[in-house]
Amino acid sequence: MKELVTAILLAIALEGMFYSLFPGGAKRVWELVQEIPESQLRIGGLVAAVVSIGAIWAVRVWL
């Protein structure tokens, strides 16, 4: 549970850094995201989650 909370907080910190360093870029990204159909966002999110979980597993097993 401790690792899950740490991972979530790290993701929030990285997102915050992105917004603070590139506020204009963040706005443009959100404008583009609004144009993407929900089905594509769901598929993209699922793919990202599966790839990320696989990468975490690989790092933990091999490093």
Side-chain angles (χ1 to χ4, degrees):
M1 186 64 157
K2 181 177 167 183
E3 291 177 347
L4 176 62
V5 172
T6 301
I8 291 170
L9 293 173
L10 178 59
I12 292 170
L14 291 172
E15 187 173 357
M17 287 172 40
F18 174 72
Y19 289 134
S20 66
L21 294 172
F22 310 107
K27 284 183 175 182
R28 284 191 296 277
V29 167
W30 278 112
E31 289 171 2
L32 293 172
V33 167
Q34 296 295 322
E35 298 173 8
I36 299 172
E38 286 185 18
S39 60
Q40 286 183 341
L41 287 173
R42 282 191 180 104
I43 292 169
L46 180 61
V47 168
V50 169
V51 169
S52 297
I53 290 170
I56 291 167
W57 172 82
V59 166
R60 291 188 172 262
V61 169
W62 290 319
L63 293 181

